[in-house]
Amino acid sequence: MYVCLCHGVTDREIREAADSGVRSMRQLGKELGVGTQCGRCACTAREILRESRTPDYMALADMLAQPA
């Protein structure tokens, strides 16, 4: 799903950025441009970033990364 229409950033790209070490909206803005234009995406992007750092998400990501 597109989160930032101004820069064409998807929720998947935000999650990948979080996996790569992005921890704040400021970093997300520098990396992907999220929240730097009209700002309508900021709340959704912040929530996705927060979800990506929860232990449940990390456990699921680790499980899915294991070969079958």
Side-chain angles (χ1 to χ4, degrees):
M1 152 183 90
Y2 280 95
V3 175
C4 179
L5 296 177
C6 296
H7 294 283
V9 179
T10 64
D11 60 323
R12 180 174 287 177
E13 290 174 299
I14 293 171
R15 286 185 179 92
E16 288 172 358
D19 290 343
S20 297
V22 171
R23 297 289 175 246
S24 69
M25 282 299 294
R26 183 174 295 214
Q27 289 176 313
L28 196 59
K30 287 180 181 179
E31 293 288 323
L32 301 175
V34 173
T36 61
Q37 190 121 4
C38 76
R40 290 183 180 173
C41 62
C43 289
T44 303
R46 185 175 293 113
E47 184 61 31
I48 293 169
L49 192 59
R50 188 176 301 133
E51 285 174 5
S52 297
R53 295 185 315 214
T54 64
D56 291 339
Y57 175 81
M58 297 306 291
L60 179 61
D62 288 340
M63 182 184 75
L64 293 174
Q66 300 298 321

